[in-house]
């Protein structure tokens, strides 16, 4: 039995996506390994350190993909999206579990501290290989993850954190802040170990608060 077969009886439904839409920013659909099923919840209810459930779709994913499917399929866009999310989630389940198992402490701690500072994950984490030489598609590569957050108190503000999956690589991370889709600020950082994650999350909070004072008062 493969890990995908573990979820053979589970299904992501239109009702789940409608619930996700009602929750809004910070809403996520998770796969629960114990229950072998999918559930809709808010990211702030999740413990980033546990590995028995993980995000497979988020509110941000819904907004972006629904616009695409509606433009392509018009009235059939909603059902086409539901079917695509359900199928792609099942098809990529093995890869998702491998990435979950390979996630280092530095990523987990960053997620914990971002949550503590009022930022909620609002999209499925995106994992990919970063090549040592851009444009030269051969090893060595670094496994990376992109996490997208929304400011809980100011949902027009989003933060993306791109970082190596394992701290031992010493690779640079990149943090970007946007407001209503417009760039606010960003900076590269070497998140070299889990103990530095708190200071970086604190800087994100400080930068966002400074932006809000300048523009929202």
């Amino acid at each position: 039995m493969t890990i995908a077969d573990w979820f053979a009886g589970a299904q992501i439904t239109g009702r789940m996506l409608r619930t996700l839409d009602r929750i809004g920013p910070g809403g996520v659909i998770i796969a629960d390994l114990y229950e072998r099923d999918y559930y809709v919840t808010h990211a702030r209810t999740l413990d980033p350190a546990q590995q028995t459930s993980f995000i497979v779709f988020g509110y941000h994913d819904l907004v972006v993909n629904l616009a695409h499917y509606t433009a392509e399929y018009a009235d059939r866009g909603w059902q086409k999206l539901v079917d695509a999310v359900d199928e792609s989630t099942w098809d990529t389940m093995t890869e998702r579990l491998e990435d979950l198992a390979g996630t280092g402490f530095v990523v987990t701690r960053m997620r914990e501290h971002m949550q503590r500072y009022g930022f909620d994950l609002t999209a499925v984490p995106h994992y990919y290989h970063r090549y040592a030489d851009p444009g030269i598609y051969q090893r060595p590569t670094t496994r990376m993850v992109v996490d997208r957050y929304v400011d809980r108190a100011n949902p027009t503000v989003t933060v993306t954190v791109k970082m190596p999956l394992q701290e031992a690589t010493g690779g640079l991370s990149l943090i970007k802040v946007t407001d209503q889709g417009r760039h606010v600020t960003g900076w590269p950082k070497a998140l070299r170990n889990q103990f530095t994650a708190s200071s970086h999350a604190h800087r994100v909070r400080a930068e966002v608060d400074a932006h809000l004072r300048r523009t929202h008062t």
Side-chain angles (χ1 to χ4, degrees):
M1 175 183 286
T2 67
I3 192 62
D5 294 329
W6 194 257
F7 284 88
Q11 184 179 17
I12 292 179
T13 64
R15 182 177 180 180
M16 287 181 177
L17 294 192
R18 285 190 290 272
T19 301
L20 186 65
D21 188 44
R22 286 195 298 271
I23 292 174
V28 291
I29 297 176
I30 64 169
D32 189 305
L33 290 171
Y34 282 150
E35 299 294 333
R36 304 188 187 188
D37 208 350
Y38 305 115
Y39 297 96
V40 188
T41 186
H42 196 284
R44 65 171 171 261
T45 68
L46 304 178
D47 176 4
Q50 61 83 35
Q51 293 191 319
T52 59
S53 63
F54 51 95
I55 298 171
V56 296
F57 201 68
Y59 176 77
H60 174 75
D61 306 311
L62 174 64
V63 171
V64 171
N65 285 278
L66 183 58
H68 170 75
Y69 275 81
T70 300
E72 185 169 355
Y73 297 104
D75 293 343
R76 296 182 298 136
W78 178 262
Q79 189 55 51
K80 287 283 189 180
L81 175 60
V82 173
D83 294 342
V85 174
D86 182 55
E87 182 178 353
S88 64
T89 299
W90 191 82
D91 286 345
T92 59
M93 189 60 69
T94 298
E95 183 179 348
R96 293 173 190 268
L97 263 295
E98 290 173 352
D99 285 324
L100 181 68
T103 299
F105 285 121
V106 66
V107 175
T108 300
R109 296 294 180 263
M110 190 66 180
R111 289 171 177 171
E112 289 175 340
H113 290 303
M114 288 291 285
Q115 187 180 75
R116 181 165 63 91
Y117 280 110
F119 297 98
D120 298 313
L121 287 165
T122 192
V124 61
H126 171 59
Y127 298 88
Y128 69 100
H129 286 290
R130 181 172 68 189
Y131 292 87
D133 296 307
I136 302 177
Y137 302 116
Q138 61 187 15
R139 295 186 182 278
T141 63
T142 301
R143 192 65 172 163
M144 303 287 292
V145 61
V146 180
D147 286 336
R148 185 179 182 91
Y149 298 87
V150 62
D151 185 356
R152 194 177 304 150
N154 303 277
T156 64
V157 176
T158 58
V159 180
T160 34
V161 180
K162 181 188 299 184
M163 58 194 307
L165 215 56
Q166 291 288 337
E167 59 195 57
T169 65
L172 280 177
S173 300
L174 181 63
I175 299 172
K176 291 183 178 180
V177 179
T178 63
D179 191 351
Q180 299 188 65
R182 294 189 294 271
H183 178 77
V184 173
T185 187
W187 59 93
K189 270 295 182 183
L191 292 168
R192 299 193 184 281
N193 61 68
Q194 60 176 306
F195 305 107
T196 63
S198 178
S199 63
H200 296 309
H202 180 271
R203 177 177 175 181
V204 174
R205 181 74 269 167
E207 295 282 356
V208 169
D209 288 346
H211 164 70
L212 293 172
R213 285 194 298 270
R214 290 192 305 268
T215 60
H216 290 220
T217 56

